[in-house]
Amino acid sequence: MKQIAVLSTLVLLAACGGGSGDGASLCAAVGGSVIAGMSVGTTNNLPNMVDGSLSSFGSISSVADGQVIARGNSFNGGNNTGLFVTLPANTAAASLVVNTRMNGVVVESATGPALTITTTASTPASQYVGFNTTQAFNGIEFLFANGGEYLIFEFCGSATVR
């Protein structure tokens, strides 16, 4: 049984661009589907945000604010949850919100000091934006209050950032 669990973990890590022992960031992808909206702007390649790869990305460009929701796999609480992203220059945590959702309803929310923005060195994304969850969820919502172009590489139900 232990061998099956290890094999399953290696398959999951390989699917998200990690697990080779080279210090790469890891992402248990939310998968599923993604929707986005903004006051005025454009979106491109939204399915790349939930494709399980830290190498591809989708973008959302907005004049002001925007929202992206990824829905898919279920996760228990106790995870570092969020997204690998390249944010517009000078983006502050206070202008971002990451929510977890269960069947469309917000379960937990983080912004400002409760939200961590970590610079990444092992993925094409520049940052990881997330927080530690305590409750089960099957979706992640990302909201931003400032305009610009947001390159979202992957929504992660559980991540290790390196």
Side-chain angles (χ1 to χ4, degrees):
M1 188 67 146
K2 187 175 182 180
Q3 289 176 329
I4 292 171
V6 170
L7 179 59
S8 297
T9 301
L10 291 175
V11 169
L12 176 63
L13 295 179
C16 291
S20 62
D22 60 358
S25 291
L26 307 175
C27 173
V30 169
S33 63
V34 64
I35 58 171
M38 77 293 297
S39 357
V40 177
T42 60
T43 61
N44 290 298
N45 303 314
L46 293 179
N48 289 350
M49 298 177 186
V50 292
D51 67 357
S53 172
L54 292 176
S55 299
S56 61
F57 63 89
S59 65
I60 181 167
S61 298
S62 177
V63 172
D65 57 350
Q67 170 191 42
V68 184
I69 300 172
R71 299 179 290 222
N73 299 317
S74 293
F75 294 87
N76 293 321
N79 295 301
N80 182 344
T81 299
L83 59 151
F84 283 95
V85 61
T86 296
L87 300 168
N90 303 316
T91 300
S95 67
L96 305 174
V97 177
V98 175
N99 296 322
T100 57
R101 299 168 68 107
M102 179 58 88
N103 302 324
V105 177
V106 173
V107 178
E108 291 182 88
S109 183
T111 189
L115 194 60
T116 303
I117 299 177
T118 306
T119 301
T120 62
S122 66
T123 71
S126 299
Q127 295 95 9
Y128 177 81
V129 177
F131 70 102
N132 292 320
T133 63
T134 61
Q135 299 179 46
F137 61 94
N138 63 3
I140 300 172
E141 178 179 32
F142 174 62
L143 300 120
F144 54 90
N146 295 338
E149 183 175 45
Y150 295 78
L151 306 178
I152 300 174
F153 288 79
E154 200 65 37
F155 280 92
C156 304
S158 179
T160 301
V161 184
R162 297 186 179 122

